Amino acid sequence: MKKGVDNMCPVFNESSQSNAPLTDRIFDLLQDSIIKGDIPAGSKISEPELAKTYGVSRGTLREALSRLEERHLVVRSPNHGVRVVSLSYEELIETYQIREVLGGLGSRLAARNMTDEEIAGLRALLYEHEKSIEEDQGLSYYQKEGEFDFHYLVLRGSRNKKLLDILDGGLYQLIRMYRYQVSTTSSRPSHALKEHHRIVDAIEERDEELADYLMCRHIRTARISVEERHRNMKAENDNNG
Amino acid sequence: MKKGVDNMCPVFNESSQSNAPLTDRIFDLLQDSIIKGDIPAGSKISEPELAKTYGVSRGTLREALSRLEERHLVVRSPNHGVRVVSLSYEELIETYQIREVLGGLGSRLAARNMTDEEIAGLRALLYEHEKSIEEDQGLSYYQKEGEFDFHYLVLRGSRNKKLLDILDGGLYQLIRMYRYQVSTTSSRPSHALKEHHRIVDAIEERDEELADYLMCRHIRTARISVEERHRNMKAENDNNG
DNA sequence: TATAATGAATGTGTCGACACTTTTTGGTTG
DNA sequence: CAACCAAAAAGTGTCGACACATTCATTATA
């Protein structure tokens, strides 16, 4: 499963090594469970119960929860406990707005700083994705996570660590969560791939401005698609209600 | 001290209420100490010692440290302890690059979403700052924190909570830290104020594109000033060494 | 005298326990 | 039967303790 792309991109679960501190592993596990919906969005968390589930002490778990809270994946109200965020449409759009300009910046910097080898690797990834789309097998993986692999490589190429921190450590999560929840199989994956190729073209030609512009537009397209889907769902609800 | 601007802007130390959970208060205290340099950058932290200093248990303090780590204000290496970040020049520039596009986005959204009352408040703040600059008293405060009050109000006006989260919860800190450390009394505070006024002009006229552009340029100016200062310091060091 | 081995001291990782607060339950009363 | 109050159950906030890892000081050795 996951084909050759497996382990290519350490974006998620950075510290799941079995020798890493327990708290870190719990943090990763929890984050994954929240994003994938194993722990339902909006549900309340019982610290003793969760601690028993993962087989760790409450203090250890609370440390992980503190970090999750800092990442806005859970919300804690004093004396009332912790509950998983319930992603709102507005928040999702806000996230896309930010991702748009940051993605643009990342792409621009990537055009400036990426090595030729890295660019080749990026292109290779896209061919992987193409194959994945043709076969039904990898399709679901590509649409759920594959796109992040691409964006991750670009971000790495930007040489701006803070940028990667922000996007990988807090911003992507919401979007991934959304994808898992509404299982949004982007209607035209091949179209997205074409856009990816164009972005790599621009990076390859060291055309910073174009790379910036194309990435912005690419993400804006995704946002608009979400907005459309939302309008449709709302209209449908209004009809049924 | 701090004149009338006191308590005007709750950007920092949000949860220092005396009834807030102990962990949160420790978190705020620690963050402030780190930013202001009371706990020197790069210094190693002894958990038992710090816990005794603040009069809390180690578990409580560790929770705060976990959040500080998520915010990249401290770095933890397993079994080797926690040490305060030592801000590097590169990281600072990276931060400015991001702040540039995010500030632009915030300003653009502020032009779209701010109410007339909010805009009036923004203008009032600038007049406060003008007065502060004329009197020597408030000068140091303005140059250290006043500018953040301005940017904070704009961000609030953008109606994009995530944007505020990112900038206030992680990005501004580095820059504030830098200001305290090199006590960079921006050479031309009145010039910065003029730029602020122009930005408010654009917001007032609901000129999104101009607001975006001016804010970007304003932050870019700050970045370039930092870069220049850095070049000068380096040149001086090279001469003396 | 420099270096390597060894034991003490300090520090981190993790856990279990207790006090106080909120929620739930179940009985009581109008 | 509904509304209300009280006791119990569950949960959160905070603390202290112990095992293991790391660092430091000391001593023994080449």
Side-chain angles (χ1 to χ4, degrees), chain B residues 97-108:
Chain B
Q97 283 178 329
I98 296 170
R99 210 190 139 203
E100 190 175 319
V101 295
L102 289 188
L105 173 63
S107 186
R108 166 186 297 264

Side-chain angles (χ1 to χ4, degrees), chain A residues 62-63 70-71 160, chain B residues 62-63 70-71 97 160:
Chain A
R62 275 179 66 94
E63 252 183 72
E70 192 66 23
R71 224 169 244 218
N160 186 319
Chain B
R62 274 178 69 93
E63 253 183 71
E70 193 65 23
R71 223 168 246 220
Q97 283 178 329
N160 186 319

Side-chain angles (χ1 to χ4, degrees), chain B residues 64-176:
Chain B
L65 285 180
S66 292
R67 289 172 58 190
L68 258 344
E69 188 195 6
E70 193 65 23
R71 223 168 246 220
H72 300 283
L73 251 61
V74 302
V75 179
R76 185 194 321 254
S77 18
N79 284 320
H80 283 240
V82 175
R83 73 174 50 241
V84 179
V85 290
S86 49
L87 38 67
S88 74
Y89 169 71
E90 287 74 20
E91 212 175 349
L92 191 66
I93 297 303
E94 289 182 2
T95 305
Y96 268 106
Q97 283 178 329
I98 296 170
R99 210 190 139 203
E100 190 175 319
V101 295
L102 289 188
L105 173 63
S107 186
R108 166 186 297 264
L109 293 175
R112 188 182 306 167
N113 297 323
M114 247 180 156
T115 68
D116 293 342
E117 290 74 29
E118 283 176 314
I119 297 175
L122 200 53
R123 189 78 77 177
L125 177 69
L126 293 188
Y127 286 128
E128 282 271 3
H129 286 172
E130 256 165 53
K131 272 196 293 183
S132 289
I133 288 181
E134 283 166 17
E135 317 163 16
D136 278 353
Q137 302 286 352
L139 195 148
S140 123
Y141 166 72
Y142 166 69
Q143 296 198 196
K144 279 211 169 53
E145 302 287 10
E147 175 143 7
F148 289 102
D149 293 347
F150 172 74
H151 287 280
Y152 173 73
L153 283 187
V154 173
L155 259 334
R156 265 190 85 89
S158 78
R159 298 288 184 279
N160 186 319
K161 283 178 217 144
K162 280 255 169 272
L163 199 50
L164 205 154
D165 277 350
I166 292 176
L167 283 165
D168 184 41
L171 229 53
Y172 280 164
Q173 277 65 22
L174 263 286
I175 295 176
R176 291 175 67 208

Side-chain angles (χ1 to χ4, degrees), chain A residues 130-148:
Chain A
E130 253 165 54
K131 271 194 296 184
S132 290
I133 288 180
E134 283 165 16
E135 316 163 16
D136 279 352
Q137 303 284 353
L139 196 147
S140 120
Y141 166 72
Y142 167 68
Q143 296 199 196
K144 278 210 171 54
E145 302 287 9
E147 175 142 9
F148 289 102

